[in-house]
Amino acid sequence: MEATGSVGEAPGGRRVLVVGGGIAGLGAAQRLCGHSAFPHLRVLEATARAGGRIRSERSFGGVVEVGAHWIHGPSRGNPVFQLAADYGLLGEKELSEENQLVETGGHVGLPSVSYASSGTRVSLQLVAEMATLFYGLIDQTREFLHAAETPVPSVGEYLKKEIGQHVTGWTEDEETRKLKLAVLNSFFNLECCVSGTHSMDLVALAPFGEYTVLPGLDCTFSKGYQGLTNCMVASLPEDTVVFEKPVKTIHWNGSFQEAAFPGETFPVSVECEDGDRFPVHHVIVTVPLGFLKEHLDTFFDPPLPAEKAEAIRKIGFGTNNKIFLEFEEPFWEPDCQLIQLVWDDTSPLEDAAPALQDAWFRKLIGFVVLPAFASVHVLCGFIAGLESEFMETLSDEEVLLCLTQVLRRVTASFTLNCSIFKNDTNSCRPVGESSWLTCSVSVAQETHGFPAPKSVLRSRWHSAPYTRGSYSYVAVGSTGGDLDLLAQPLPADGAGAQLQILFAGEATHRTFYSTTHGALLSGWREADRLLSLWAPQVQQPRPRL
C-alpha cells in the first residue's frame, strides 16, 4: 500500500490499514496477513518501535518492563499466554499445570515486609488481617453486577462505607486502630494501581464485577515482554509495519481516489502528520483510549456519532507508572519479593488531599523486588493517579532524591543530620516532607547508613503523546455497554460501504479491559469481522512462528 503520489500496487483485493502497532494492531495484522482477500495490508505506528504499552528496556544490566509487566491469568484461556508459549518465550515454571491452576481472585499477594513511615516495621499478621478484610470487601463489590440498584455509585464509596462499620467494632487501642486504617489506605493505593485510576471513588460499582479474572499465577517474561510483540512483527511480511508514521485524521464515509488506481474509489482516506494519505477500504483503529480522548475532535472527519463520542468521554483512563531504583547492595532480605509502604496517620475514611508537590510520594504503594541482574539489585515501585502524573513532571534527580529519603525514613537506617536539613539562614532546621525535593542528589548521598540507590528509571505514560495514560476502567457514569459501543464499527447503520472504521484495543473489551490479552482478543475480533465479510469460507490460520 503506497501513499498518495507514489507508485502503487496492482488493484484488486481489499486495502486494509491498521492504526497502531501495539498488540491489538499486530494481532489484527497477523490474523489478516496472507489471505488473498487482503493483499494490501499496512500497520502505521506513530513511534519508532512496535509494542505500544508493552515496552521492555535494557537497563541495569538486564531487561525491565517499562510497560506491561505480567501475563495476568496465564492459563489455557489466555491468548497471550498461549502465543508466548508457542513462541517459546516462557520457562518450565510458567508453563507448569500447577501455575495455571492457581486461583488468585485477581488480588495481589501479601508483602514480604511492611514499613511504616515512622521507621518501624508493621506486623505482617496485622497486614494479613487487613488484607483479608479489604479483599473480602472487593469480592463483595462484584456481587452488584446484576443488582437492580447499588447502595452507592462507586467501588471506593462502598469500601469506605463497609470499613466504617467495621471500625466501630474494633476494640484495640487508638494507636493500633490508626495503624489498621493506614494499612487499609495502602491497599486502596494498591487497588488504584490495579485499576489504573486516581481514586476508587471514580470506579463504577455496578459494572465492577464484569471484569473477568482468569486462573493462573501471574508470570513474567525472563527476556522481556516486548519479545512477544517482536515475534509478532517478525511473522509479518517485510515492511508491513511502517514506523514513525503518526496519523492525523481519518476521513471516512467519503469517495476518495488515487492516481495509482484509476477509476477506483475508497470510502476512507487516512491522513498522516507528514501529509501522506492512504486511501483504503477499511481501517482498524487500535490507538489507546487516552489518545482518543485528547484528539476526539480532530481525529475523525466527519466526527464520530454523538453516542460513540460520549462513550469515549465517559470510560475511565488513568495512569499507573513505575519507578525503578538501582542498588549496588540490597537492604532487603534475600527472599523478599514485595515491600509495602504504610503512611502513618493516613486513612481511607478521610479525604485529606495535600498539595501534590508536598506529598506525591505518599501514593507510592511500595516496591517489587526484581530478580537480580548479575551484581545489580533493582526495586520497582508503583504509583497511580494524579500523584503519578505529577511525578512525571519532576527531574530524575528530584525523584531519586525523594525516594532515597523515603526509604531512609521508613527503614529507620539513617540519622537525621544537617545533610538533610534545609538551610536558608545558615542555621539547620528539620526538613518537612514538602522540602525534600529542594535538596540535591550530592547532598543526599552525604547521609550515611543507607545504601543509596545509584540511578533511577521510570515510565511516563501520561506524558507519552500517543498514549496519554496507562489503561482503561469503567468509570462512574459509564457501563460495560460503553466499551461495547466503542467497539462497534462505523458506519453504525451498516448500510452501503460496510465496516469502514473498526475499533480495537483493551478499552474495547468488555470483560478483559486493561489487559494485554483483552487487547489481543480485540484485534482478532476486528480481523474476524473483515474475514467474515470478505473471506467467510477461509479457515483462520495460526500465527506464523
Side-chain angles (χ1 to χ4, degrees):
M1 185 185 299
E2 302 290 341
T4 300
S6 58
V7 178
E9 302 169 3
R14 302 287 95 185
R15 291 163 64 86
V16 180
L17 194 67
V18 178
V19 180
I23 196 170
L26 296 176
Q30 271 194 328
R31 201 85 152 187
L32 296 175
C33 182
H35 287 299
S36 59
F38 308 103
H40 315 297
L41 173 68
R42 286 290 182 274
V43 178
L44 301 187
E45 166 54 41
T47 71
R49 48 169 285 277
R53 284 165 279 174
I54 295 175
R55 180 180 168 191
S56 307
E57 285 194 9
R58 290 209 157 271
S59 189
F60 313 120
V63 175
V64 296
E65 304 293 6
V66 177
H69 200 107
W70 292 276
I71 301 178
H72 293 296
S75 50
R76 291 175 184 175
N78 187 322
V80 168
F81 175 71
Q82 292 298 329
L83 195 56
D86 288 346
Y87 282 126
L89 300 176
L90 300 175
E92 281 187 28
K93 181 180 178 182
E94 290 78 14
L95 294 171
S96 69
E97 283 288 327
E98 182 182 2
N99 263 36
Q100 294 182 50
L101 295 175
V102 173
E103 293 283 355
T104 66
H107 305 320
V108 178
L110 292 176
S112 307
V113 62
S114 180
Y115 290 113
S117 55
S118 59
T120 60
R121 288 198 182 195
V122 182
S123 159
L124 291 183
Q125 182 178 349
L126 185 147
V127 172
E129 180 186 342
M130 292 301 97
T132 298
L133 170 59
F134 183 81
Y135 288 129
L137 294 176
I138 284 286
D139 290 340
Q140 285 182 26
T141 64
R142 302 186 184 281
E143 298 173 3
F144 291 100
L145 177 58
H146 301 295
E149 58 183 61
T150 59
V152 290
S154 73
V155 172
E157 290 168 281
Y158 177 80
L159 293 174
K160 289 186 284 187
K161 174 174 167 286
E162 294 296 315
I163 287 170
Q165 294 178 1
H166 277 81
V167 169
T168 61
W170 290 350
T171 57
E172 298 91 347
D173 58 82
E174 182 64 18
E175 184 178 346
T176 302
R177 289 159 59 110
K178 291 176 66 175
L179 180 58
K180 282 185 169 185
L181 286 169
V183 171
L184 283 170
N185 197 68
S186 72
F187 281 112
F188 269 79
N189 290 341
L190 175 58
E191 199 65 27
C192 286
C193 289
V194 172
S195 292
T197 183
H198 171 64
S199 167
M200 296 308 293
D201 289 355
L202 302 176
V203 181
L205 177 57
F208 191 62
E210 205 154 26
Y211 177 85
T212 302
V213 177
L214 295 174
L217 189 62
D218 291 356
C219 68
T220 59
F221 293 79
S222 60
K223 296 183 179 179
Y225 216 132
Q226 199 172 318
L228 176 63
T229 49
N230 289 346
C231 286
M232 296 175 75
V233 172
S235 76
L236 300 171
E238 191 175 357
D239 299 328
T240 296
V241 183
V242 183
F243 294 102
E244 297 184 287
K245 203 71 170 175
V247 170
K248 179 181 179 182
T249 305
I250 297 171
H251 304 272
W252 62 288
N253 235 12
S255 182
F256 303 98
Q257 295 183 328
E258 183 177 354
F261 298 89
E264 189 169 2
T265 61
F266 303 89
V268 182
S269 177
V270 177
E271 179 186 0
C272 296
E273 294 281 0
D274 61 8
D276 279 350
R277 286 180 178 251
F278 294 81
V280 295
H281 296 99
H282 311 285
V283 58
I284 303 177
V285 176
T286 72
V287 299
L289 178 62
F291 178 87
L292 282 182
K293 283 176 175 287
E294 185 173 49
H295 298 277
L296 185 58
D297 295 335
T298 59
F299 199 61
F300 300 96
D301 178 29
L304 295 179
E307 62 177 358
K308 184 183 281 283
E310 186 61 20
I312 289 172
R313 295 187 186 98
K314 289 195 299 185
I315 301 169
F317 193 80
T319 303
N320 180 24
N321 275 315
K322 300 177 183 179
I323 307 173
F324 299 91
L325 299 177
E326 174 193 10
F327 293 82
E328 284 187 349
E329 296 293 336
F331 64 84
W332 54 91
E333 297 296 324
D335 58 348
C336 183
Q337 295 182 326
L338 176 62
I339 298 170
Q340 181 187 49
L341 297 184
V342 175
W343 297 96
D344 293 303
D345 299 321
T346 58
S347 166
L349 306 183
E350 297 176 4
D351 294 326
L356 291 175
Q357 65 268 26
D358 293 342
W360 66 268
F361 47 85
R362 291 166 73 95
K363 196 68 169 288
L364 190 74
I365 60 102
F367 298 89
V368 171
V369 180
L370 300 187
F373 305 135
S375 59
V376 177
H377 306 273
V378 180
L379 295 181
C380 175
F382 289 82
I383 183 171
L386 297 178
E387 294 83 355
S388 182
E389 294 170 10
F390 177 79
M391 179 275 297
E392 296 186 29
T393 69
L394 303 175
S395 68
D396 282 351
E397 290 76 17
E398 288 172 318
V399 172
L400 182 61
L401 168 64
C402 185
L403 295 193
T404 298
Q405 300 297 344
V406 166
L407 287 171
R408 284 179 174 147
R409 174 179 176 178
V410 301
T411 58
S413 59
F414 67 99
T415 302
L416 286 175
N417 56 43
C418 290
S419 67
I420 56 169
F421 279 29
K422 184 177 179 184
N423 190 341
D424 292 332
T425 58
N426 296 321
S427 64
C428 291
R429 60 184 176 84
V431 179
E433 291 167 352
S434 61
S435 304
W436 286 355
L437 299 182
T438 64
C439 304
S440 67
V441 174
S442 59
V443 170
Q445 290 174 340
E446 292 174 9
T447 302
H448 302 293
F450 181 87
K454 289 177 54 182
S455 64
V456 63
L457 172 71
R458 57 204 164 114
S459 61
R460 296 180 179 89
W461 288 111
H462 180 70
S463 304
Y466 302 111
T467 311
R468 305 300 283 154
S470 298
Y471 39 81
S472 63
Y473 62 93
V474 183
V476 172
S478 65
T479 69
D482 290 309
L483 279 72
D484 285 344
L485 182 55
L486 176 56
Q488 288 303 305
L490 295 174
D493 58 8
Q498 298 181 59
L499 304 181
Q500 293 176 25
I501 308 179
L502 302 91
F503 295 83
E506 52 85 13
T508 70
H509 199 290
R510 185 161 180 160
T511 59
F512 292 145
Y513 56 87
S514 80
T515 67
T516 54
H517 53 276
L520 179 59
L521 285 171
S522 74
W524 287 354
R525 179 194 67 217
E526 298 313 308
D528 288 346
R529 282 193 206 269
L530 294 179
L531 287 166
S532 64
L533 183 66
W534 297 112
Q537 306 304 317
V538 180
Q539 185 176 3
Q540 302 305 316
R542 290 182 65 79
R544 298 184 299 174
L545 305 183

